[in-house]
Structures are given as structure tokens and as C-alpha cells.
Amino acid sequence: MMESFKKIDFSETPCDFNFKLILIGRGAVGKTNILTKFCDNQFSENSQTTIGVEYKTQIVEINNKKIKLQIWDTAGQERYQSMTKLFYRNSDGVFIVYDITNPESFNKLDYWIKDLKSQEQTNAMLMILGNKCDLEDKRKISKEKAKEGTNIEEAFEALTKEILNNFEKKKENTQTDSIIISSPNLNRKTKAGCC
């Protein structure tokens, strides 16, 4: 079955799922512009450096299921790293962002992946995003070296679908079928199952 994905307006109708997503990566790789482009459909040539964290919410729909995405944009500067780690907790999905014109940001991907995996309280799905594809003439990371996505909405769609599929698989695995047990002494049936 083909999955549909669309952003929807906020409404009073409750959501079926709440997913926490975070954007991490070095400073000035464009995390804030990814966030504002996806949530507000805006882009700023002169966006300010994030101090600490920024937060936005977007509701999306996949196959008639409403999903509230709580998206955290973290500062990439080293002085904010300890605060960034707090946002790893209970996250469902993580975008690690690098700048295609900045090889140092690409070389730092291993650091971010190891840092994320070292945290005990996250089993988040991970997606790496090469940003600033509008600066193709200044590209320093070859297409062969790193796959690039075609746009931001597709990246959010892919990660959200993966999280939803993973969540539903876990839910299926934790539920058990009810078992009817009959006892010859009691001559009655007792239902046992998962609570």
C-alpha cells in the first residue's frame, strides 16, 4: 500500500503519535534553515546562529494517522555540546546535518554518530543530511562520497515513516494473543494475556 504524507494545520483533533526529532551537527551547517523551511516554508539568507536550542512543532499525516513532530534545532558550537546531549534522551529520530561546502563538517559525522550512540537513553532512528545543495558550485564533498537528498520535506517524510514503521513493529512484537486456559478443578475458563 502506498503511504501518503502531508503536512496539516494544527487542529483540536488529538494526534495518534508524538515523535521527538532533533537536528544536530556543527555550527553554521544550516540546521535552523532546515527547520524553518520544513515548518514555516521560509528560508533566510541571513539566519542567526542558534544559541542553545530552538523548537518547532509540525503535524503531519501518514495514511490517515496524525503525527505531531516536535523538532529541536540544537546549537552546533562546542560550548553547547553538553546541553545538546540532553535532547538525545527519548528522541525518536535524529538528523545529523553537514554542509556540502565544508569538509570539516562532513569529517565530524563520525563524532556525532558516536556521541549519539554513547547515550543510553536513545534508540533513535538516524538520517544524515548534506545541506546547502544550492551552493553546488562550491561543493567540497563529492556526490560519490555522500548521498544527498533532493529536498527537506522528503527527508522529514522518510525519517517519520521509518519511525512510525519501527514503532508499529515494536508494538506488534510486545502484544501477545490471549490464551484460554481451562482448569479441570475449576470448570471455568480464565483469560490470560498482556496487560
Side-chain angles (χ1 to χ4, degrees):
M1 179 188 337
M2 191 69 164
E3 293 178 327
S4 63
F5 178 88
K6 64 181 177 178
K7 292 191 279 185
I8 58 175
D9 293 328
F10 290 89
S11 67
E12 296 301 316
T13 308
C15 291
D16 300 300
F17 299 98
N18 290 307
F19 293 152
K20 177 182 174 185
L21 307 179
I22 59 174
L23 293 151
I24 62 175
R26 286 186 58 115
V29 295
K31 298 181 299 292
T32 300
N33 273 330
I34 289 172
L35 178 65
T36 55
K37 182 66 176 165
F38 180 69
C39 292
D40 305 326
N41 200 25
Q42 294 178 356
F43 175 80
S44 172
E45 290 282 345
N46 302 312
S47 63
Q48 299 295 315
T49 301
T50 302
I51 298 174
V53 294
E54 291 184 19
Y55 165 81
K56 288 190 180 282
T57 300
Q58 178 66 56
I59 297 177
V60 298
E61 187 175 300
I62 298 176
N63 291 341
N64 299 317
K65 292 178 184 164
K66 288 186 181 177
I67 302 166
K68 181 178 183 180
L69 301 177
Q70 300 168 351
I71 309 163
W72 296 87
D73 170 20
T74 62
Q77 295 86 353
E78 200 167 310
R79 65 182 168 206
Y80 297 114
Q81 303 272 315
S82 60
M83 185 182 352
T84 297
K85 290 179 184 187
L86 296 174
F87 290 90
Y88 294 169
R89 291 182 184 172
N90 303 317
S91 59
D92 298 296
V94 178
F95 290 106
I96 302 178
V97 183
Y98 72 94
D99 174 351
I100 67 165
T101 70
N102 181 341
E104 195 174 332
S105 71
F106 181 78
N107 294 336
K108 251 334 215 185
L109 290 177
D110 279 343
Y111 164 81
W112 290 105
I113 293 168
K114 286 176 186 171
D115 193 45
L116 180 66
K117 290 185 176 186
S118 72
Q119 304 302 310
E120 294 177 9
Q121 290 147 338
T122 185
N123 290 316
M125 304 293 286
L126 175 65
M127 180 177 280
I128 296 172
L129 294 179
N131 197 25
K132 302 188 182 181
C133 62
D134 57 316
L135 303 176
E136 185 64 37
D137 59 326
K138 296 178 182 177
R139 176 184 280 277
K140 301 286 188 220
I141 308 301
S142 70
K143 289 182 182 179
E144 292 76 33
K145 200 168 184 182
K147 292 183 179 180
E148 69 177 20
T150 55
N151 66 39
I152 292 166
E153 194 154 319
E154 286 182 356
F156 276 90
E157 176 181 357
L159 187 59
T160 303
K161 285 179 178 179
E162 281 298 314
I163 295 167
L164 180 61
N165 290 337
N166 190 41
F167 181 82
E168 289 179 335
K169 283 179 188 175
K170 283 181 183 177
K171 189 176 175 184
E172 286 174 12
N173 290 338
T174 59
Q175 292 178 342
T176 59
D177 292 332
S178 296
I179 302 169
I180 306 291
I181 302 172
S182 73
S183 171
N185 296 337
L186 298 174
N187 199 17
R188 64 182 176 162
K189 294 183 179 178
T190 307
K191 197 172 194 177
C194 183
C195 33

